mmCIF file of all heavy atoms in Angstrom:
data_model
loop_
_atom_site.group_PDB
_atom_site.id
_atom_site.type_symbol
_atom_site.label_atom_id
_atom_site.label_comp_id
_atom_site.label_asym_id
_atom_site.label_seq_id
_atom_site.Cartn_x
_atom_site.Cartn_y
_atom_site.Cartn_z
ATOM 1 N N TYR A 464 6.347 4.027 -11.487
ATOM 2 C CA TYR A 464 5.422 4.979 -12.118
ATOM 3 C C TYR A 464 4.017 4.376 -12.221
ATOM 4 O O TYR A 464 3.021 5.024 -11.868
ATOM 5 C CB TYR A 464 5.940 5.355 -13.503
ATOM 6 C CG TYR A 464 4.941 6.090 -14.364
ATOM 7 C CD1 TYR A 464 4.715 7.451 -14.192
ATOM 8 C CD2 TYR A 464 4.222 5.407 -15.331
ATOM 9 C CE1 TYR A 464 3.778 8.118 -14.980
ATOM 10 C CE2 TYR A 464 3.293 6.055 -16.125
ATOM 11 C CZ TYR A 464 3.071 7.428 -15.946
ATOM 12 O OH TYR A 464 2.144 8.080 -16.720
ATOM 13 N N ARG A 468 0.697 5.608 -10.317
ATOM 14 C CA ARG A 468 -0.425 6.088 -11.129
ATOM 15 C C ARG A 468 -1.727 5.398 -10.740
ATOM 16 O O ARG A 468 -2.807 5.996 -10.843
ATOM 17 C CB ARG A 468 -0.134 5.860 -12.615
ATOM 18 C CG ARG A 468 -1.083 6.627 -13.533
ATOM 19 C CD ARG A 468 -0.679 6.513 -14.968
ATOM 20 N NE ARG A 468 -0.765 5.140 -15.441
ATOM 21 C CZ ARG A 468 -0.623 4.791 -16.721
ATOM 22 N NH1 ARG A 468 -0.362 5.713 -17.630
ATOM 23 N NH2 ARG A 468 -0.704 3.535 -17.086
ATOM 24 N N THR A 471 -3.019 7.673 -8.098
ATOM 25 C CA THR A 471 -3.541 8.957 -8.582
ATOM 26 C C THR A 471 -4.833 8.771 -9.361
ATOM 27 O O THR A 471 -5.746 9.600 -9.280
ATOM 28 C CB THR A 471 -2.503 9.679 -9.459
ATOM 29 O OG1 THR A 471 -2.215 8.899 -10.629
ATOM 30 C CG2 THR A 471 -1.214 9.913 -8.681
ATOM 31 N N GLY A 496 10.362 7.132 -10.687
ATOM 32 C CA GLY A 496 9.067 6.718 -11.216
ATOM 33 C C GLY A 496 7.912 7.335 -10.455
ATOM 34 O O GLY A 496 6.922 7.789 -11.055
ATOM 35 N N TRP A 497 8.020 7.361 -9.120
ATOM 36 C CA TRP A 497 6.982 8.013 -8.299
ATOM 37 C C TRP A 497 6.876 9.498 -8.646
ATOM 38 O O TRP A 497 5.778 10.033 -8.816
ATOM 39 C CB TRP A 497 7.342 7.850 -6.818
ATOM 40 C CG TRP A 497 6.582 8.775 -5.912
ATOM 41 C CD1 TRP A 497 5.312 8.609 -5.436
ATOM 42 C CD2 TRP A 497 7.039 10.033 -5.379
ATOM 43 N NE1 TRP A 497 4.950 9.678 -4.635
ATOM 44 C CE2 TRP A 497 5.993 10.562 -4.584
ATOM 45 C CE3 TRP A 497 8.229 10.747 -5.479
ATOM 46 C CZ2 TRP A 497 6.115 11.777 -3.904
ATOM 47 C CZ3 TRP A 497 8.352 11.954 -4.813
ATOM 48 C CH2 TRP A 497 7.302 12.459 -4.034
ATOM 49 N N ARG A 498 8.016 10.154 -8.777
ATOM 50 C CA ARG A 498 8.017 11.599 -9.038
ATOM 51 C C ARG A 498 7.363 11.904 -10.381
ATOM 52 O O ARG A 498 6.580 12.861 -10.504
ATOM 53 C CB ARG A 498 9.459 12.108 -9.002
ATOM 54 C CG ARG A 498 9.589 13.609 -9.131
ATOM 55 C CD ARG A 498 11.001 14.049 -8.822
ATOM 56 N NE ARG A 498 11.273 14.056 -7.396
ATOM 57 C CZ ARG A 498 12.356 13.532 -6.829
ATOM 58 N NH1 ARG A 498 13.265 12.928 -7.573
ATOM 59 N NH2 ARG A 498 12.516 13.592 -5.527
ATOM 60 N N THR A 499 7.659 11.108 -11.399
ATOM 61 C CA THR A 499 7.042 11.322 -12.711
ATOM 62 C C THR A 499 5.533 11.160 -12.644
ATOM 63 O O THR A 499 4.771 11.920 -13.262
ATOM 64 C CB THR A 499 7.626 10.335 -13.735
ATOM 65 O OG1 THR A 499 9.041 10.535 -13.842
ATOM 66 C CG2 THR A 499 6.995 10.531 -15.109
ATOM 67 N N ALA A 500 5.066 10.166 -11.868
ATOM 68 C CA ALA A 500 3.624 9.920 -11.772
ATOM 69 C C ALA A 500 2.896 11.050 -11.061
ATOM 70 O O ALA A 500 1.833 11.498 -11.522
ATOM 71 C CB ALA A 500 3.379 8.592 -11.056
ATOM 72 N N VAL A 501 3.444 11.556 -9.951
ATOM 73 C CA VAL A 501 2.722 12.615 -9.215
ATOM 74 C C VAL A 501 2.763 13.931 -9.987
ATOM 75 O O VAL A 501 1.781 14.680 -9.999
ATOM 76 C CB VAL A 501 3.264 12.790 -7.780
ATOM 77 C CG1 VAL A 501 3.007 11.540 -6.951
ATOM 78 C CG2 VAL A 501 4.742 13.140 -7.765
ATOM 79 N N ARG A 502 3.882 14.195 -10.651
ATOM 80 C CA ARG A 502 3.937 15.413 -11.466
ATOM 81 C C ARG A 502 2.987 15.303 -12.653
ATOM 82 O O ARG A 502 2.313 16.278 -13.013
ATOM 83 C CB ARG A 502 5.361 15.644 -11.948
ATOM 84 C CG ARG A 502 6.320 16.121 -10.858
ATOM 85 C CD ARG A 502 7.729 16.230 -11.412
ATOM 86 N NE ARG A 502 8.663 16.737 -10.417
ATOM 87 C CZ ARG A 502 9.989 16.792 -10.596
ATOM 88 N NH1 ARG A 502 10.513 16.370 -11.737
ATOM 89 N NH2 ARG A 502 10.774 17.260 -9.648
ATOM 90 N N GLY A 503 2.938 14.125 -13.268
ATOM 91 C CA GLY A 503 2.061 13.936 -14.421
ATOM 92 C C GLY A 503 0.599 14.064 -14.067
ATOM 93 O O GLY A 503 -0.224 14.430 -14.919
ATOM 94 N N ALA A 504 0.276 13.775 -12.801
ATOM 95 C CA ALA A 504 -1.113 13.912 -12.351
ATOM 96 C C ALA A 504 -1.419 15.320 -11.863
ATOM 97 O O ALA A 504 -2.529 15.586 -11.385
ATOM 98 C CB ALA A 504 -1.395 12.904 -11.240
ATOM 99 N N GLY A 505 -0.438 16.221 -11.975
ATOM 100 C CA GLY A 505 -0.637 17.596 -11.549
ATOM 101 C C GLY A 505 -0.690 17.768 -10.049
ATOM 102 O O GLY A 505 -1.320 18.707 -9.547
ATOM 103 N N LEU A 506 0.020 16.892 -9.311
ATOM 104 C CA LEU A 506 -0.026 16.939 -7.851
ATOM 105 C C LEU A 506 1.207 17.599 -7.236
ATOM 106 O O LEU A 506 1.446 17.478 -6.035
ATOM 107 C CB LEU A 506 -0.176 15.508 -7.290
ATOM 108 C CG LEU A 506 -1.386 14.724 -7.803
ATOM 109 C CD1 LEU A 506 -1.432 13.352 -7.148
ATOM 110 C CD2 LEU A 506 -2.673 15.491 -7.528
ATOM 111 N N GLY A 507 2.012 18.266 -8.056
ATOM 112 C CA GLY A 507 3.188 18.952 -7.523
ATOM 113 C C GLY A 507 4.326 18.000 -7.221
ATOM 114 O O GLY A 507 4.456 16.939 -7.831
#
Side-chain angles (χ1 to χ4, degrees):
Y464 168 80
R468 194 173 64 171
T471 63
W497 164 81
R498 185 169 283 133
T499 300
V501 295
R502 287 176 178 172
L506 304 181

